[in-house]
Amino acid sequence: MNKRAAGMAGGLAAAVPAALFAAMAGTALHRQELVTAGVVLPLGALAALVLLGCVQLFLGASFRSLVPTAVAGVLCYLLAGWWSAMVPGKRLIAGDLAGNIWVYGIVVVTVLMLAWCRRYRRRKPAAQVPAPAAGAQA
């Protein structure tokens, strides 16, 4: 097994529990609200999205690949979608403002983190083009 394949397998193995953590912690956190002057601010949903972004940034920087970042975002979105589609008595994410910010914000954060983590990718070394000889004519 080459080093790149081993790194990819490690990245995928790390992305699954990281996505489970982000989905569970974000779902628990998204209902926290701050009421100021009669206005409800869903700060928990924003904090949950920041948590997800931090997890994805860590994965992208650690494994120098976009794949673990994407896997974590897709898995987190699938779990949040599943928890919001349960029957009303068992639903973990309601269809209110905080729930919508959390569920649909996962997509936005994942796209932003994929764009940001592009800078951490491993790049193949540039092919060295030999310089023309001093006396050679074109």
Side-chain angles (χ1 to χ4, degrees):
M1 181 180 263
N2 65 13
K3 192 173 188 177
R4 184 164 172 89
M8 184 65 65
L12 293 176
V16 172
L20 290 173
F21 166 73
M24 288 190 293
T27 299
L29 186 63
H30 87 278
R31 294 297 304 160
Q32 304 300 316
E33 297 173 338
L34 176 67
V35 179
T36 304
V39 177
V40 178
L41 301 172
L43 294 181
L46 298 176
L49 292 173
V50 169
L51 172 73
L52 174 64
C54 290
V55 167
Q56 289 178 327
L57 181 63
F58 175 75
L59 288 170
S62 295
F63 295 100
R64 297 183 61 176
S65 174
L66 294 177
V67 175
T69 302
V71 168
V74 168
L75 186 58
C76 186
Y77 183 73
L78 288 175
L79 286 170
W82 176 44
W83 292 335
S84 66
M86 292 179 156
V87 294
K90 297 181 180 182
R91 187 174 297 159
L92 297 176
I93 301 172
D96 58 350
L97 179 63
N100 288 335
I101 290 174
W102 169 231
V103 172
Y104 298 117
I106 292 171
V107 175
V108 174
V109 167
T110 300
V111 169
L112 289 175
M113 287 299 109
L114 285 172
W116 185 263
C117 289
R118 284 183 56 190
R119 67 182 62 208
Y120 301 126
R121 289 184 307 181
R122 290 190 179 126
R123 292 183 177 86
K124 295 179 182 177
Q128 296 293 331
V129 178
Q137 296 199 8

